[in-house]
């Protein structure tokens, strides 16, 4: 039971991060081409999940992906089953809540790339994809990894949006935060301590990796 909770929590966080990463890279790559007004609107929309209570985010997802919702009806027509109250719904909720934390470091890393490097590569015959793959991704790699770890860590601890759109179904949608909530409700103190300890352990490992990446990137910049 405990192993299933841990595996499901990691699975949800991995899928949520996988959903966010391509969109984050696209936004980061094209941010400098947007007019100032669109950049302002984009920044507000990106930061919105941080300002909204996760329960509100989950409520809107529930409306969209419910059987009567636009996306829910379309998903059922294509795949033949409802998405709400599934582990994938938990991944979508986690992805939306954690999106600002993954996209911000990536956007910052891309913004700090010297455009002259890209222009020089283009003048030597490199196409846009080659510039993106060989120059931008390599130079922005520390920021990309930092964003991935931050988004993954946030997804591990997502509760409010998840419980709204995916529920708290043991063995199906019950992630680590939801299992802690259930244990508190029933007063199972021994299980609470184990689950809380696991949650803290996962967070410490993820944040240690995040700070290690920042530390190594800072030292490499000093040595250049």
């Amino acid at each position: 039971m405990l192993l299933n909770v841990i595996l499901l929590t990691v699975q949800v966080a991995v899928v949520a991060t996988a959903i966010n990463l391509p969109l984050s890279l696209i936004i980061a790559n094209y941010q400098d081409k947007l007019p100032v007004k669109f950049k302002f609107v984009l920044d507000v929309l990106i930061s919105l999940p941080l300002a909204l209570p996760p329960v509100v985010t989950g409520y809107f997802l529930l409306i969209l992906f419910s059987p009567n919702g636009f996306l829910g009806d379309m998903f059922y027509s294509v795949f033949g089953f409802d998405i709400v109250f599934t582990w994938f719904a938990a991944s979508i909720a986690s992805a939306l809540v954690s999106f600002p934390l993954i996209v911000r470091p990536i956007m910052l890393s891309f913004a700090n790339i010297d455009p002259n490097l890209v222009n020089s590569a283009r003048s030597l015959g490199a196409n846009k994809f080659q510039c993106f793959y060989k120059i931008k991704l390599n130079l922005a790699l520390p920021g990309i990894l930092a964003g991935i770890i931050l988004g993954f860590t946030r997804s591990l601890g997502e509760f409010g949006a998840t419980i709204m759109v995916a529920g708290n179904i043991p063995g199906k949608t019950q992630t680590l935060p939801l299992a802690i909530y259930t244990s508190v409700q029933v007063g199972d103190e021994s299980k609470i301590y184990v689950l809380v300890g696991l949650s803290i352990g996962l967070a410490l490992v993820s944040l240690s990796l995040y700070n290690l990446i920042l530390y190594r990137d800072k030292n490499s910049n000093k040595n250049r």
Side-chain angles (χ1 to χ4, degrees), residues 61-62 64-67 71-73 75-76 79-90 92 165-166 172-173:
L61 287 175
L62 185 61
L64 286 173
F65 287 101
S66 67
L71 294 178
D73 181 62
F75 190 90
Y76 185 84
F79 297 102
F81 63 91
D82 294 323
I83 193 173
V84 292
F85 303 118
T86 65
W87 71 267
F88 190 66
I92 293 175
V165 74
K172 187 177 180 182
T173 65

Side-chain angles (χ1 to χ4, degrees), residues 115-137:
N116 291 325
L117 294 174
V118 178
N119 293 334
S120 298
R122 291 299 303 273
S123 67
L124 294 173
N127 57 39
K128 290 183 179 180
F129 178 76
Q130 289 173 324
C131 291
F132 173 77
Y133 178 72
K134 294 185 177 181
I135 298 177
K136 291 185 176 181
L137 280 186

Side-chain angles (χ1 to χ4, degrees), residues 11-83:
Q11 176 180 309
V12 167
V14 168
V15 173
T17 306
I19 292 172
N20 282 333
L21 183 58
L23 182 58
S24 299
L25 290 173
I26 292 171
I27 291 174
N29 188 45
Y30 290 102
Q31 62 178 325
D32 59 333
K33 298 177 177 63
L34 294 174
V36 176
K37 292 182 180 179
F38 285 103
K39 282 186 179 180
F40 177 80
V41 174
L42 180 64
D43 284 337
V44 171
L45 292 177
I46 287 173
S47 301
L48 189 59
L50 289 177
L52 285 176
V55 174
V56 175
T57 302
Y59 175 71
F60 282 116
L61 287 175
L62 185 61
I63 292 175
L64 286 173
F65 287 101
S66 67
N68 295 326
F70 170 71
L71 294 178
D73 181 62
M74 184 171 62
F75 190 90
Y76 185 84
S77 299
V78 175
F79 297 102
F81 63 91
D82 294 323
I83 193 173

